[in-house]
Amino acid sequence: MMCLFGSVAASDCIQIDDSMLEPTAMEVPITSSGNTAMVPVPVPVVHNPRARKLRSAVWQDFTKERRADGSCVAVCNHCKKQLTATSRSGTTHLRNHLAICTTTSTRRAGKRRKLIVRRILHSKTSTDGQFGDGHASGEDHDNDSTHFDQELSRRDLAHMIVQHGYRFSIVDDVGFQKFVKNLQPQFRMVSYETVRADSMAIYESERLKLQDVLLKLPCRVSISVDMWRSNTQMDFLCLTCHYIDHANNEWKVRKKILNFVHVEAPFTAGQIANLILEKLHEWGIDRKLAAVVLDNCTSGEIIARELLGVLQPRRLLLLNGNLFQVCSCAHILNVTVQESLEQTSDIITRVREMIQNVKFSQERFEKFQGTAKLQQMDQKLLVIDSPNNWTSTYLMFDSACYYHDVLVRLAEQEAHYSAFLTAKEWADVKALTEILDALYHTMEKFPVENPTANLYFNDMCEMHVLLNTWRNSPSPVVAQVADRMLTKFEGYWDLTRPVMAFASILDPRYKMKSVEYFCRLIYAADQFRAKTTIDDIRQTFTNLCSEYEQSVNSFKNPSALFYSGNSSSCMGSVYSNGDDFKTFSRITLSDARRGLDQYIQETSSGQNFKSDLDMYLEEPVYRQKEGHLDNFDILGWWKSFAAKYPVLSQMACDILAIPVSIIPLDSEARTLNEYLSTMDPSTVQGLVCAQDWLREDTEVASSEGHADDKVPRCDELIVLPK
């Protein structure tokens, strides 16, 4: 046998017989009805210093023993029952056994067993961190470390109702009351009015927290304004704030509803503008506004002019307000397409009538299905569009083109029937479908989580190129529609392009490259205009950088001028503060370092100094690995390079939060549900805002739970669209 220690001579090694390592068993004779058998009895496991330590609290009530065949069992110390104890069996079945162990000796020690089970549960929850909120289960008060708290449970109930959008009247439901009574008999159910008051208290508490966050925010914010309506035809203004959150040094896009205010009808654009300014002032963010989106407001341009008239004289806006009003990409495309398709209403009507006559005639629909089967076509829904919804018009055209051969065959069989399209009409439908297909798939890219303003500049420029191409199409209907679309598109795009171009420049993967490439492509027939557009974007971006540099330089802490004053008098003040010496000296040393940085900067002005922008643009673009192009974290990048580009990083924080990537809601989606429509306006605002502010907690819990936890399961939920 091999020696255990290499440094010991072979003759000195201890010889161990393999049989000494095998578990032993005592054979006890058992006599019954005339025959005797030898049954192996488990004996305690021989201590193995390499064996894993039994750390679970359950082993205080079980003894692990090994059988003769090498398997292990756990013997209950109370009833002597044997349970499996393999390495893969775990300890759950052992805890379950303790909970139902009912021998005479265990009943006598009932109180002790409760403490054992509670100790095991406490050990488990302290390990996995899922329980231990200070609530006890049932009426067991043996453990003084847990107790029932009526007020805490009452707050939790109100929090649940607000967070998940349940009705206040749930507290009056018999089923809910029975459930709570069985769960915690000590809880005294609260009334409708009490839970309403508690919910409003949550709103007020969360409002103060959010206001503190916004007041301390080191960057600008942008706002979006939407008009909502209740079932009772009451109008509400929804004011939403968009910003980059720096909490815990994590750069994240945040979207918070600030107000959901009832507006008395009839109202003017001036009244809406004044209401917006009033609410911004209340939140303390009227002096740190970057941009506003008014896509879901009637008279949005007039409201923007009213806001500019008040804010421009105060010199609080970027580039004197030239970046103030923007439109979301989805809104630009929606308006462009919907208004341009009005001139193709005839062909849309023809397609709609054809499909209606096929679907709603049983005989004709059976022929349609039979022909589709003969041609071995996969089943696809034959769509009828909804008025004023261009995406449904696209889906109708797309389904008609898919079944083109089937519909043409039907037309041949029923030549007398005029509902079917002619060859020329089919050509127009196919041409229009190609346009709508490109627009539809561009729209599909917009719904993303926490969108930043850099995401869709390339897509919008590509759409601009396509519209230019379609305008020169040989198809008269395509050329006519594309020309009108291009006119509409450029009108809105000129308003939003600067912000999106700046966001693209701040994307280290593109910098000025995207701007240069697409401008030359869009204005291929006029290179002078292309160069002028590129130079204009670059110069405007440079001017914006200068504004940020001036604001950074003007914000000087007086103690940062440490180097320019009398150092002896300054240090003398440190020593004259007595007990405050440590605190003041620590602050002064920090200020001295900042003063040194400023001194180096100012005394080196004669040297070749490059700004943030110069260094940023001179360095090569950031290259991603293949397969990770869609996973670029632009906020994480700027967080990492904030020290290298302090001015540009501040710009990125403000520009990337402008909500040009949001999806505007249609009028139907901006209608309050029946539950909210019956409440008074102050309660509506409290519930809508508080639920939005608590949504982050809901999303975190959902991400830790099942994948379908985020899906609303009934129409009584208050939940507003994200």
Side-chain angles (χ1 to χ4, degrees):
M1 183 175 179
M2 183 180 293
C3 180
L4 298 180
F5 304 98
S7 59
V8 182
S11 60
D12 295 334
C13 289
I14 301 175
Q15 300 295 322
I16 299 178
D17 193 296
D18 290 342
S19 63
M20 297 175 64
L21 299 177
E22 295 292 333
T24 60
M26 297 173 59
E27 293 187 349
V28 181
I30 298 177
T31 305
S32 62
S33 64
N35 53 13
T36 303
M38 305 299 290
V39 178
V41 177
V43 298
V45 179
V46 178
H47 176 66
N48 182 356
R50 294 188 179 182
R52 187 174 61 182
K53 185 178 180 181
L54 302 176
R55 299 181 179 180
S56 175
V58 76
W59 291 109
Q60 298 179 26
D61 298 278
F62 285 89
T63 301
K64 191 172 184 180
E65 298 179 353
R66 187 185 300 275
R67 289 175 173 163
D69 60 0
S71 63
C72 293
V73 294
V75 181
C76 177
N77 296 341
H78 308 290
C79 66
K80 304 306 178 184
K81 183 174 181 179
Q82 297 180 11
L83 294 93
T84 59
T86 63
S87 60
R88 297 183 177 181
S89 61
T91 57
T92 301
H93 65 298
L94 304 182
R95 288 196 294 271
N96 293 340
H97 171 75
L98 282 181
I100 60 175
C101 186
T102 57
T103 62
T104 304
S105 60
T106 307
R107 281 198 300 269
R108 293 197 192 103
K111 183 175 180 179
R112 177 176 176 274
R113 180 168 55 81
K114 286 183 179 180
L115 291 174
I116 291 170
V117 175
R118 191 181 300 107
R119 182 178 66 241
I120 295 170
L121 293 175
H122 177 72
S123 175
K124 178 179 183 298
T125 55
S126 63
T127 302
D128 59 25
Q130 293 180 356
F131 302 96
D133 292 333
H135 294 276
S137 299
E139 298 180 353
D140 187 2
H141 299 285
D142 293 331
N143 191 346
D144 294 336
S145 65
T146 60
H147 67 280
F148 169 71
D149 190 327
Q150 169 71 19
E151 292 304 312
L152 178 59
S153 298
R154 175 179 149 185
R155 289 196 298 271
D156 287 345
L157 174 61
H159 194 281
M160 176 195 75
I161 288 175
V162 172
Q163 189 172 26
H164 298 287
Y166 301 137
R167 298 170 288 108
F168 290 154
S169 59
I170 192 175
V171 298
D172 298 325
D173 292 347
V174 176
F176 182 71
Q177 291 180 351
K178 182 178 179 180
F179 168 74
V180 174
K181 186 68 175 176
N182 290 332
L183 188 67
Q184 177 49 266
Q186 297 183 69
F187 181 71
R188 300 185 303 276
M189 184 58 68
V190 296
S191 66
Y192 179 101
E193 290 301 327
T194 299
V195 76
R196 178 191 176 282
D198 290 346
S199 299
M200 294 303 101
I202 290 175
Y203 159 71
E204 185 60 29
S205 173
E206 295 297 323
R207 185 188 67 82
L208 294 175
K209 291 180 184 177
L210 179 58
Q211 186 170 39
D212 185 60
V213 169
L214 294 178
L215 289 174
K216 295 178 180 178
L217 206 62
C219 60
R220 289 180 178 265
V221 301
S222 295
I223 60 170
S224 57
V225 183
D226 305 284
M227 297 303 298
W228 284 66
R229 176 164 288 188
S230 69
N231 289 343
T232 56
Q233 302 304 306
M234 293 177 63
D235 294 301
F236 290 84
L237 181 142
C238 181
L239 186 66
T240 306
C241 180
H242 307 259
Y243 61 94
I244 304 295
D245 187 6
H246 293 75
N248 301 321
N249 200 28
E250 292 291 334
W251 287 33
K252 293 183 178 179
V253 178
R254 298 296 185 198
K255 175 184 176 184
K256 301 289 184 182
I257 295 178
L258 301 183
N259 296 96
F260 201 86
V261 191
H262 170 52
V263 183
E264 291 285 352
F267 51 83
T268 64
Q271 290 173 329
I272 296 296
N274 289 333
L275 181 60
I276 293 171
L277 290 170
E278 175 189 334
K279 297 306 176 184
L280 293 177
H281 181 71
E282 289 177 0
W283 285 97
I285 58 176
D286 54 322
R287 301 181 64 85
K288 54 171 66 175
L289 204 56
V292 60
V293 177
L294 298 160
D295 294 343
N296 289 334
C297 281
T298 54
S299 307
E301 293 184 4
I302 301 176
I303 296 173
R305 285 200 297 269
E306 293 283 344
L307 293 172
L308 278 173
V310 176
L311 296 174
Q312 264 183 332
R314 302 179 187 176
R315 298 184 178 277
L316 301 174
L317 301 176
L318 298 175
L319 293 177
N320 197 31
N322 290 336
L323 304 180
F324 182 64
Q325 185 188 4
V326 297
C327 297
S328 68
C329 299
H331 177 73
I332 294 174
L333 294 184
N334 274 330
V335 175
T336 297
V337 181
Q338 195 65 53
E339 294 186 6
S340 301
L341 284 181
E342 292 176 359
Q343 63 186 14
T344 63
S345 58
D346 292 343
I347 189 63
I348 294 174
T349 302
R350 289 278 292 144
V351 175
R352 186 185 301 124
E353 290 177 349
M354 178 183 66
I355 295 179
Q356 286 175 341
N357 281 281
V358 170
K359 292 191 70 170
F360 300 138
S361 170
Q362 183 175 355
E363 180 182 356
R364 194 171 291 115
F365 190 63
E366 289 175 354
K367 288 183 180 179
F368 170 82
Q369 288 181 315
T371 306
K373 285 183 179 179
L374 286 175
Q375 297 186 8
Q376 298 181 343
M377 300 185 68
D378 295 333
Q379 290 187 355
K380 184 174 180 178
L381 186 64
L382 200 56
V383 179
I384 298 177
D385 69 333
S386 301
N388 301 320
N389 186 337
W390 74 266
T391 56
S392 68
T393 301
Y394 158 71
L395 295 174
M396 181 177 71
F397 277 22
D398 184 58
S399 66
C401 291
Y402 179 78
Y403 287 114
H404 169 264
D405 294 342
V406 178
L407 293 170
V408 169
R409 184 71 60 86
L410 279 179
E412 292 173 353
Q413 295 174 6
E414 301 187 25
H416 63 283
Y417 198 63
S418 61
F420 293 99
L421 303 182
T422 65
K424 180 182 180 304
E425 288 172 333
W426 271 116
D428 291 342
V429 168
K430 290 183 177 180
L432 288 173
T433 302
E434 290 182 7
I435 295 179
L436 296 178
D437 182 76
L439 291 160
Y440 180 82
H441 286 97
T442 300
M443 289 284 291
E444 281 188 319
K445 299 179 181 180
F446 293 148
V448 297
E449 191 74 15
N450 297 328
T452 47
N454 64 301
L455 293 179
Y456 305 118
F457 177 77
N458 294 348
D459 294 296
M460 297 298 283
C461 288
E462 289 171 4
M463 189 54 58
H464 200 169
V465 173
L466 286 176
L467 289 173
N468 275 330
T469 304
W470 292 331
R471 187 173 57 173
N472 300 318
S473 171
S475 170
V477 65
V478 170
Q480 186 180 7
V481 169
D483 185 67
R484 183 164 182 176
M485 282 186 178
L486 185 61
T487 303
K488 280 285 182 183
F489 178 87
E490 288 181 337
Y492 287 99
W493 182 234
D494 288 344
L495 185 68
T496 306
R497 181 175 58 190
V499 165
M500 296 196 68
F502 293 172
S504 181
I505 296 172
L506 290 167
D507 190 328
R509 298 172 298 172
Y510 304 116
K511 301 187 179 181
M512 281 293 298
K513 303 301 182 184
S514 284
V515 173
E516 294 168 353
Y517 172 78
F518 281 111
C519 284
R520 289 168 183 155
L521 198 60
I522 292 169
Y523 305 114
D526 188 352
Q527 287 302 306
F528 176 77
R529 184 179 179 185
K531 183 178 183 304
T532 303
T533 304
I534 295 170
D535 292 343
D536 181 61
I537 291 174
R538 184 192 294 270
Q539 185 58 52
T540 309
F541 189 77
T542 303
N543 294 341
L544 183 62
C545 286
S546 299
E547 281 191 9
Y548 274 87
E549 288 174 355
Q550 292 173 9
S551 63
V552 169
N553 292 335
S554 63
F555 186 71
K556 294 179 180 178
N557 188 330
S559 59
L561 301 179
F562 181 86
Y563 71 90
S564 62
N566 188 329
S567 60
S568 60
S569 63
C570 211
M571 292 304 292
S573 64
V574 175
Y575 289 100
S576 65
N577 278 290
D579 295 338
D580 296 333
F581 166 71
K582 290 184 178 180
T583 302
F584 187 73
S585 64
R586 183 164 58 249
I587 296 174
T588 304
L589 290 175
S590 176
D591 293 338
R593 296 188 192 100
R594 288 196 297 271
L596 175 61
D597 293 339
Q598 183 179 345
Y599 173 75
I600 293 173
Q601 179 178 348
E602 293 185 0
T603 56
S604 303
S605 58
Q607 302 174 1
N608 292 329
F609 176 75
K610 291 186 178 180
S611 65
D612 279 12
L613 180 58
D614 294 332
M615 291 190 296
Y616 175 74
L617 294 180
E618 286 179 4
E619 292 183 355
V621 296
Y622 174 74
R623 299 271 183 157
Q624 281 185 276
K625 296 181 180 178
E626 291 187 11
H628 298 79
L629 298 179
D630 296 331
N631 299 324
F632 178 63
D633 181 8
I634 188 171
L635 296 182
W637 192 93
W638 278 108
K639 171 191 167 185
S640 301
F641 286 87
K644 184 175 182 179
Y645 308 114
V647 176
L648 282 181
S649 65
Q650 184 64 47
M651 283 180 59
C653 199
D654 297 345
I655 298 297
L656 295 176
I658 297 177
V660 295
S661 302
I662 60 173
I663 304 298
L665 305 174
D666 57 32
S667 58
E668 184 177 351
R670 288 182 283 116
T671 301
L672 291 177
N673 60 28
E674 184 177 355
Y675 173 56
L676 283 178
S677 297
T678 61
M679 293 188 171
D680 63 277
S682 62
T683 304
V684 172
Q685 173 170 249
L687 288 177
V688 171
C689 292
Q691 185 188 57
D692 179 75
W693 300 337
L694 297 175
R695 175 174 281 154
E696 185 178 345
D697 297 336
T698 307
E699 292 174 347
V700 170
S702 297
S703 64
E704 295 173 353
H706 299 290
D708 61 350
D709 285 347
K710 298 181 182 179
V711 180
R713 291 175 171 80
C714 62
D715 58 2
E716 70 182 15
L717 296 181
I718 301 174
V719 178
L720 295 177
K722 295 183 182 179

